[in-house]
């Protein structure tokens, strides 16, 4: 007659509910506990939509914003994606994303191929020889936001970390006009040498092995470091990395930043934020807060509506 369950979504922190039910009475639901947050989550709302990728595949996307905000292109907007290693992007609560929404921004999360949202076939469609599908899905998501009037190109940013950093870097090379700014966290930028450092050799099962001729071709076609275009106007980019990152070596971030800085002809900055005390993620809450502050300040400065 009594049970408990936990629920969360993009606009609601993890909450434990207690339910008492009998055949003779209306079920009674009470809140037992909820994750603490200073964000006024009751003022937030999340909505789910779908859009078509380049090959017609339907891609889910969730938008988070305040209830009194109508996404119409006047708000600073972030599009987040990952698309790899079976890491599905499901509705979940994030204090930082909720803060962005509370401050008046729109935060969008696209469930692109490479994750596990629709099973192993969805993962395989965005890995190995199909990796370009993940990039096409993400690019289509940014275009959908603009074409439907939910975002404007001049106030749109893209974000990803690790494999998502690779996603952001590859998409910026393929579509420098895609957005106004980007947060590129711990990116894998050299896809021809990634397997030689730390335990990244295991990633050849996700990306392919550059030591084999056919798979070298896949990787060379999108490797961010090898596809930076000379005399190209790139958007503003903040690349972050941890000097003690045991997963993605910091040289990846340094190389792509140096290449973008040398090649971009725009007036927008390409910056490297290297945390000398952290690894793949900030080593302590203090460093995490500092990184969020820098990232959000960077985006609000760049997405102010001025070119």
């Amino acid at each position: 007659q009594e049970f408990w369950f936990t629920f969360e979504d993009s606009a609601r922190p993890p909450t434990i509910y207690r339910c008492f039910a009998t055949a003779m009475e209306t079920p009674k639901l009470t809140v037992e506990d909820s994750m603490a947050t200073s964000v006024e989550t009751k003022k937030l709302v999340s909505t789910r939509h779908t859009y078509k990728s380049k090959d017609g595949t339907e891609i889910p996307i969730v938008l988070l914003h305040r209830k009194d905000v109508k996404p119409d292109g006047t708000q600073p907007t972030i599009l987040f994606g990952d698309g790899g290693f079976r890491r599905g992007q499901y509705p979940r609560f994030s204090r930082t994303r909720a803060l962005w929404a509370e401050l008046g921004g729109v935060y969008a999360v696209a469930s692109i191929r490479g994750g596990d949202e629709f099973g192993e076939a969805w993962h395989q469609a965005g890995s190995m020889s199909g990796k370009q599908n993940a990039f096409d899905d993400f690019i289509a998501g940014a275009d959908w936001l603009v074409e439907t009037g939910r975002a404007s190109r001049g106030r749109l940013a893209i974000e990803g970390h690790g494999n998502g950093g690779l996603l952001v870097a590859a998409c910026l090379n393929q579509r420098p006009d895609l957005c106004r700014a980007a947060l590129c966290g711990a990116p894998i930028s050299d896809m021809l040498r990634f397997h030689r450092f730390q335990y990244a050799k295991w990633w050849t099962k996700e990306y392919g092995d550059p030591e084999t001729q056919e798979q070298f071709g896949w990787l060379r076609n999108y490797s961010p470091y090898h596809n930076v275009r000379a005399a190209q106007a790139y958007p503003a980019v903040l690349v972050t990395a941890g000097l003690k990152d045991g997963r993605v070596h910091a040289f990846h971030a340094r190389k792509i930043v140096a290449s973008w800085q040398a090649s971009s002809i725009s007036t927008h900055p390409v910056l490297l934020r290297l945390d000398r005390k952290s690894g793949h993620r900030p080593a302590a809450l203090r460093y995490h807060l500092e990184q969020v502050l820098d990232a959000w300040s960077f985006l609000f400065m760049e997405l102010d509506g001025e070119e």
Side-chain angles (χ1 to χ4, degrees):
Q1 296 178 340
E2 200 170 18
F3 64 92
W4 291 259
F5 65 91
T6 301
F7 179 84
E8 68 174 302
D9 63 20
S10 303
R12 186 183 322 195
T15 303
I16 300 174
Y17 293 90
R18 181 180 183 180
C19 185
F20 181 83
T22 68
M24 304 299 294
E25 298 180 1
T26 301
K28 298 177 181 178
L29 189 66
T30 59
V31 173
E32 293 295 303
D33 197 9
S34 182
M35 188 184 81
T37 176
S38 60
V39 176
E40 295 186 64
T41 56
K42 292 183 179 180
K43 294 183 178 181
L44 305 182
V45 64
S46 64
T47 57
R48 184 184 184 276
H49 311 267
T50 59
Y51 63 87
K52 289 186 177 181
S53 187
K54 183 178 181 180
D55 62 358
T57 301
E58 292 283 342
I59 309 297
I61 186 171
V62 172
L63 273 60
L64 173 68
H65 52 86
R66 281 201 324 250
K67 292 178 180 178
D68 64 336
V69 168
K70 179 182 179 181
D72 59 5
T74 62
Q75 304 87 11
T77 303
I78 299 175
L79 173 63
F80 177 89
D82 189 282
F85 293 93
R86 303 181 181 89
R87 287 196 296 265
Q89 300 303 308
Y90 301 101
R92 68 177 182 85
F93 183 77
S94 163
R95 289 185 177 97
T96 54
R97 296 176 183 179
L99 173 62
W100 178 265
E102 184 181 52
L103 293 173
V106 177
Y107 200 100
V109 179
S111 296
I112 63 178
R113 281 172 284 187
D116 66 350
E117 291 89 340
F118 298 103
E120 180 57 21
W122 192 256
H123 164 242
Q124 291 181 2
S127 63
M128 300 294 281
S129 62
K131 191 62 179 175
Q132 183 60 43
N133 286 330
F135 307 144
D136 290 341
D137 293 352
F138 197 60
I139 290 171
D143 287 340
W144 175 82
L145 287 169
V146 174
E147 291 166 3
T148 59
R150 291 178 170 87
S152 61
R153 200 74 69 181
R155 306 206 75 182
L156 176 64
I158 58 176
E159 180 185 10
H161 188 275
N163 176 73
L166 160 64
L167 171 74
V168 167
C171 290
L172 288 182
N173 283 339
Q174 294 180 19
R175 282 284 304 277
D177 66 325
L178 189 65
C179 58
R180 176 62 175 76
L183 296 179
C184 187
I188 309 167
S189 69
D190 189 341
M191 298 306 296
L192 305 185
R193 298 178 181 83
F194 75 92
H195 62 304
R196 300 180 182 178
F197 297 87
Q198 295 156 327
Y199 63 79
K201 184 177 181 180
W202 298 106
W203 301 346
T204 56
K205 297 179 181 179
E206 177 74 18
Y207 299 127
D209 187 351
E211 301 292 340
T212 65
Q213 184 174 357
E214 180 187 18
Q215 296 176 19
F216 177 93
W218 305 342
L219 297 163
R220 179 61 179 81
N221 284 340
Y222 70 79
S223 177
Y225 179 70
H226 299 92
N227 285 279
V228 175
R229 304 186 217 172
Q232 180 65 55
Y234 283 95
V237 188
L238 174 61
V239 179
T240 58
L243 189 61
K244 297 182 179 180
D245 193 336
R247 191 181 307 179
V248 181
H249 200 290
F251 82 80
H252 285 284
R254 288 168 161 164
K255 289 181 72 170
I256 193 64
V257 166
S259 188
W260 277 334
Q261 287 179 341
S263 302
S264 182
I265 58 173
S266 76
T267 58
H268 307 316
V270 176
L271 307 176
L272 173 63
R273 185 188 190 280
L274 186 63
D275 189 332
R276 297 182 179 276
K277 297 181 181 179
S278 295
H280 196 60
R281 294 289 184 180
L285 178 60
R286 169 191 169 187
Y287 303 130
H288 171 69
L289 295 176
E290 290 175 352
Q291 182 170 311
V292 171
L293 177 61
D294 286 348
W296 277 189
S297 298
F298 171 79
L299 289 185
F300 275 118
M301 179 178 67
E302 294 298 328
L303 304 180
D304 64 357
E306 296 182 6
E307 291 297 328

